Amino acid sequence: MSSNRICPICGREITKVDKYKPSTYCDNDACRDYSKYKTALEKAILKINPTSDARKVIRGDMFRLCNLLSNGTNTSGSKNDL
Ligand SMILES: [Zn+2]
């Protein structure tokens, strides 16, 4: 009985089979990195206790990250006309 496991970061199926130590993430190292850095970032933000001006900067950073996600998936390969 094989249950397909899904990478919690990219949503793709985990094809790697390891009986002894089942992987949480897929083969893409970036997924592991993302998870690691996200946790680190959460901890850091809680420790920073930023001023209201600094909060704006951090929000701007987060906004850029969000834009990476929407731009990154739509731009590559979809429009190729010059
Ligand atoms: Zn993944």
Side-chain angles (χ1 to χ4, degrees):
M1 187 174 179
S2 70
S3 60
N4 291 346
R5 289 176 305 123
I6 300 293
C7 174
I9 306 302
C10 69
R12 291 181 174 81
E13 192 179 331
I14 300 173
T15 52
K16 198 164 42 180
V17 178
D18 191 336
K19 289 181 233 170
Y20 304 105
K21 186 174 169 257
S23 5
T24 312
Y25 307 107
C26 65
D27 284 339
N28 194 343
D29 287 340
C31 289
R32 201 176 303 111
D33 283 346
Y34 174 83
S35 179
K36 188 170 63 185
Y37 296 143
K38 186 180 66 170
T39 305
L41 187 61
E42 285 171 0
K43 284 180 186 167
I45 287 174
L46 291 174
K47 280 184 189 170
I48 290 170
N49 190 23
T51 64
S52 62
D53 276 351
R55 275 168 211 251
K56 286 176 197 163
V57 175
I58 292 176
R59 283 205 177 95
D61 289 339
M62 300 296 157
F63 189 69
R64 269 203 311 283
L65 290 179
C66 289
N67 281 342
L68 273 182
L69 206 51
S70 31
N71 294 338
T73 49
N74 290 336
T75 52
S76 67
S78 58
K79 285 175 184 171
N80 209 10
D81 50 344
L82 297 172

